[in-house]
Amino acid sequence: MYTQIIDWYNSNLNYWTIALLMAIESSFIPFPSELVIPPAAYQAMQSGSDLNIALIVVAGSVGALVGAFINYYLAKFLGRPIIYKFADSRLGHFLLLDASKVQKAEDYFREHGAISTFVGRLITVIRQLISIPAGLAKMKLFPFTLYTFLGATIWNCVLAFLGYLAHGQKDLIEKYNSELAVALLAAGALFIGYMVYSALKPQKKKES
């Protein structure tokens, strides 16, 4: 099925199809973003191409935001019992979901708070599911939208850069994707550490 989707995508590569597949990738339907952004960035490099790398990133981020909204609102209105029941259903397993994955995302959100919707977009597996605990927790829409869009944009910039470097070579993209996932996880941990430190450090008393 992936092969058919990829063939269709390559034959119909434009900003709309980029946004569509990134919306699917960002929802609970499993589809790797590594198969969407890098090939588009490679295509944008070709002479006579109508694509622009910056607009590819924007289209991918808008699509990712739409997919995140799907997860967010489903979780918000259906509630925890139904979400977990669906994850452990036959259809949920077909979509590569299970209760443990949802629980992992929810634990991550609970541990790191709202900022996890930003950092989580940079972490494999968590990226697709972090919107679910945000919906379950009824996170405010504005920070959810802002953090999700910023995180998705950073990730899409990385993928576009890899597409530029790798010239669409799947093996090379996957190699650097794994290394960058580790680097981004470390950067995310440092960022969270800084946020926690800033929140907890003693405030200096103003001199009277």
Side-chain angles (χ1 to χ4, degrees), residues 105-120:
E106 192 167 12
D107 290 344
Y108 186 85
F109 181 87
R110 188 180 297 111
E111 181 179 355
H112 300 292
I115 196 65
S116 64
T117 55
F118 168 73
V119 180

Side-chain angles (χ1 to χ4, degrees), residues 79-122:
R80 184 175 284 102
I82 294 178
I83 290 296
Y84 274 86
K85 186 175 182 179
F86 173 76
D88 267 343
S89 69
R90 182 175 299 179
L91 179 58
H93 290 165
F94 177 76
L95 296 173
L96 305 183
L97 289 173
D98 59 56
S100 64
K101 289 182 180 179
V102 178
Q103 184 66 58
K104 181 178 180 181
E106 192 167 12
D107 290 344
Y108 186 85
F109 181 87
R110 188 180 297 111
E111 181 179 355
H112 300 292
I115 196 65
S116 64
T117 55
F118 168 73
V119 180
R121 301 298 306 184
L122 309 177

Side-chain angles (χ1 to χ4, degrees), residues 47-178:
S47 59
S49 174
D50 295 329
L51 296 175
N52 176 279
I53 290 184
L55 293 180
I56 287 170
V57 170
V58 172
S61 298
V62 170
L65 186 58
V66 170
F69 280 149
I70 293 173
N71 283 359
Y72 174 87
Y73 281 110
L74 283 176
K76 182 177 181 179
F77 292 115
L78 294 180
R80 184 175 284 102
I82 294 178
I83 290 296
Y84 274 86
K85 186 175 182 179
F86 173 76
D88 267 343
S89 69
R90 182 175 299 179
L91 179 58
H93 290 165
F94 177 76
L95 296 173
L96 305 183
L97 289 173
D98 59 56
S100 64
K101 289 182 180 179
V102 178
Q103 184 66 58
K104 181 178 180 181
E106 192 167 12
D107 290 344
Y108 186 85
F109 181 87
R110 188 180 297 111
E111 181 179 355
H112 300 292
I115 196 65
S116 64
T117 55
F118 168 73
V119 180
R121 301 298 306 184
L122 309 177
I123 303 173
T124 305
V125 179
I126 293 291
R127 181 168 63 251
Q128 288 87 352
L129 300 179
I130 193 62
S131 305
I132 293 177
L136 292 175
K138 295 180 171 57
M139 179 179 173
K140 291 184 179 178
L141 188 58
F142 178 76
F144 172 78
T145 301
L146 178 63
Y147 289 150
T148 298
F149 188 81
L150 289 178
T153 298
I154 291 174
W155 181 247
N156 290 334
C157 284
V158 170
L159 293 180
F161 184 63
L162 287 178
Y164 173 81
L165 288 181
H167 290 225
Q169 298 179 36
K170 182 180 177 181
D171 293 341
L172 192 57
I173 290 172
E174 289 180 348
K175 174 185 175 182
Y176 282 105
N177 176 58
S178 299

